[in-house]
């Protein structure tokens, strides 16, 4: 079903893309992973991590890496107050809406928004897009399914009212009763490709109002064969199914790194770009290794400059060469003075 993007959403997505129509976006909105890195460096419990340390790390990531991205994703509690003054006005600005403190139940995880934070506030402070992560599995319990679906639909309606793009991130995860259960933001090593595919199928329905999909690999990045390996053809079919769903919904899609190593994520992108993906929105694959130096921020900065920035340039080049470009289609039909203003 063709559900055309509105003018405000088109302009917002245009702000996130490069001049060639590719999404080469940086994520520094992560909260638990950065807390964990700081906690290791300070030798403290993650719950004891200081606000000031979170702000220092997020500012460092923005200063060094954001100039090399087409857009940057920040959270309102740490990254926005830490780094808004160093982010370029010539690049896109995405703000996250969901709280990282999701509710864990035996039947699945339930998402909700950050306290006192709304789509309207994101639009008011100049955000170009709203990002929401919702945990999902096709086999979640009925109450959890209803909660998650309702939450995503509410965000979609709010983004429609504000005419701002809705970037939707999907992650599958293990239940508490399953082997390898963790609440960490990691690539589930036991996930089934069909879980990821069926999740995209559900949320590509127009009633959710998603404008751009931020998706994980249907196969754990660590288990992917090399893109050039003979067995890669079987894996490519999973990515192609995802691409077909996004194409049928007339929506662009990008890949997330989910904590994959740098070489693993670059390999993921080759599969995704062959399936028609339009870019990436990634964080830890780019900057995670540098945070192992914390609290030595100078060493962290040096590693970001010597490894993180070159890696971003590699991803930008890979994306420009292999990813499908996205371009807005405004389809304006105003033929007289005042017709556009009256019709919008």
């Amino acid at each position: 079903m063709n559900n055309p993007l509105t003018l405000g959403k088109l302009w917002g997505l245009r702000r996130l893309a490069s001049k060639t129509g590719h999404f080469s976006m940086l994520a520094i909105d992560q909260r638990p992973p950065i807390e964990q890195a700081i906690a290791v460096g300070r030798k403290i419990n993650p719950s004891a991590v200081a606000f000031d340390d979170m702000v220092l790390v997020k500012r460092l990531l923005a200063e060094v890496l954001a100039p090399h991205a087409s857009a940057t994703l920040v959270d309102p509690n740490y990254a926005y107050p830490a780094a808004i003054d160093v982010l370029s006005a010539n690049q896109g600005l995405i703000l996250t809406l969901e709280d990282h403190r999701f509710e864990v139940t035996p039947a699945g995880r339930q998402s909700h928004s950050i306290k006192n934070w709304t789509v309207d506030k994101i639009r008011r402070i100049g955000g170009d897009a709203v990002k929401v992560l919702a945990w999902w599995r096709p086999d979640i319990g009925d109450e959890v399914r209803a909660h998650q679906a309702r939450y995503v639909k509410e965000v979609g309606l709010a983004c429609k009212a504000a005419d701002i793009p809705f970037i939707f991130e999907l992650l599958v995860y293990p239940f508490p009763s399953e082997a390898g259960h963790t609440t960490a933001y990691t690539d589930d090593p036991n996930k089934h490709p069909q879980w990821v595919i069926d999740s995209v199928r559900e949320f590509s329905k127009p009633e959710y109002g998603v404008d751009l999909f931020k998706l994980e690999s249907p196969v754990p990045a660590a288990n992917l064969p090399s893109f050039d390996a003979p067995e890669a053809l079987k894996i490519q079919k999973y990515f192609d199914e995802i691409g077909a769903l996004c194409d049928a919904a007339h929506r662009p899609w990008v890949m997330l790194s989910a904590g994959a190593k740098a070489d693993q994520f670059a390999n993921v992108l080759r599969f995704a770009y062959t399936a028609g993906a339009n870019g990436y929105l990634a964080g830890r694959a780019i900057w995670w290794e540098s945070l192992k130096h914390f609290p030595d921020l100078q060493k962290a900065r040096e590693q970001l400059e010597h490894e993180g920035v070159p890696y971003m340039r590699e991803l930008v080049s890979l994306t420009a060469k292999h990813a499908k470009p996205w371009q807005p289609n405004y389809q304006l039909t105003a033929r007289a003075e005042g017709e556009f203003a009256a019709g919008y």
Side-chain angles (χ1 to χ4, degrees):
M1 176 180 174
N2 190 352
N3 183 24
L5 290 163
T6 55
L7 296 176
K9 290 174 179 286
L10 285 170
W11 188 265
L13 290 178
R14 181 184 175 188
R15 288 270 302 155
L16 307 184
S18 67
K19 291 181 179 179
T20 59
H22 297 103
F23 299 98
S24 304
M25 303 181 288
L26 170 71
I28 60 171
D29 71 317
Q30 293 85 348
R31 287 143 285 173
I34 293 180
E35 285 178 345
Q36 183 62 39
I38 293 172
V40 170
R42 293 289 190 200
K43 297 180 174 58
I44 59 176
N45 190 284
S47 63
V49 168
F51 175 84
D52 289 349
D53 277 344
M54 289 286 287
V55 166
L56 284 173
V57 168
K58 298 217 174 201
R59 184 174 182 86
L60 173 63
L61 297 178
E63 285 179 337
V64 179
L65 301 176
H68 306 280
S70 63
T72 301
L73 168 61
V74 302
D75 66 280
N77 288 340
Y78 301 104
Y80 186 92
I84 188 59
D85 62 318
V86 299
L87 296 177
S88 172
N90 296 321
Q91 296 166 313
L93 176 65
I94 311 164
L95 283 112
T96 193
L97 180 65
E98 91 285 343
D99 197 328
H100 63 280
R101 303 175 186 89
F102 51 83
E103 181 182 354
V104 179
T105 77
R109 300 176 183 178
Q110 297 189 160
S111 307
H112 58 273
S113 297
I114 294 170
K115 185 178 180 181
N116 297 323
W117 194 235
T118 64
V119 168
D120 183 57
K121 287 186 178 182
I122 291 174
R123 171 59 95 184
R124 282 161 48 197
I125 64 171
D128 295 302
V130 174
K131 169 256 169 183
V132 161
L133 182 160
W135 302 93
W136 185 267
R137 277 177 54 161
D139 56 346
I140 53 179
D142 291 342
E143 289 187 13
V144 175
R145 175 183 295 275
H147 177 278
Q148 294 296 84
R150 181 172 60 252
Y151 176 60
V152 177
K153 288 177 182 178
E154 288 173 353
V155 174
L157 287 172
C159 288
K160 180 180 180 181
D163 210 359
I164 188 171
F166 176 17
I167 300 176
F168 185 56
E169 176 178 357
L170 273 168
L171 284 178
V172 301
Y173 58 95
F175 288 148
S177 60
E178 294 176 340
H181 173 258
T182 176
T183 57
Y185 285 65
T186 58
D187 199 4
D188 181 2
N190 299 312
K191 67 183 174 184
H192 302 298
Q194 202 61 45
W195 289 353
V196 178
I197 295 166
D198 288 345
S199 297
V200 178
R201 178 175 288 108
E202 173 65 26
F203 288 98
S204 63
K205 297 175 181 176
E207 56 260 35
Y208 291 103
V210 176
D211 302 307
L212 185 150
F213 287 96
K214 179 188 178 189
L215 303 176
E216 63 179 319
S217 170
V219 175
N223 298 343
L224 272 181
S226 170
F227 177 73
D228 299 320
E231 60 269 30
L233 290 175
K234 179 180 179 181
I235 303 299
Q236 185 62 55
K237 293 179 181 179
Y238 299 136
F239 284 88
D240 291 346
E241 283 193 63
I242 292 173
L245 289 168
C246 295
D247 187 58
H250 301 279
R251 291 298 183 267
W253 59 292
V254 299
M255 297 303 294
L256 57 89
S257 60
K261 294 180 179 179
D263 60 336
Q264 294 172 346
F265 183 55
N267 191 43
V268 167
L269 291 182
R270 290 301 308 274
F271 285 93
Y273 292 165
T274 300
N278 307 95
Y280 61 87
L281 176 47
R284 281 174 288 171
I286 298 169
W287 46 252
W288 178 251
E289 290 298 318
S290 70
L291 298 193
K292 294 180 180 179
H293 294 296
F294 188 88
D296 190 334
L297 292 180
Q298 182 56 38
K299 282 189 177 180
R301 179 182 291 273
E302 289 172 359
Q303 180 150 353
L304 287 171
E305 292 173 343
H306 297 151
E307 295 183 19
V309 170
Y311 179 63
M312 286 189 73
R313 289 173 177 159
E314 176 187 332
L315 292 182
V316 169
S317 176
L318 179 70
T319 301
K321 184 176 181 180
H322 295 289
K324 180 181 179 180
W326 174 88
Q327 296 293 343
N329 181 6
Y330 293 106
Q331 298 181 327
L332 296 178
T333 57
R335 291 159 294 189
E337 180 183 355
E339 185 176 348
F340 169 72
Y344 180 71

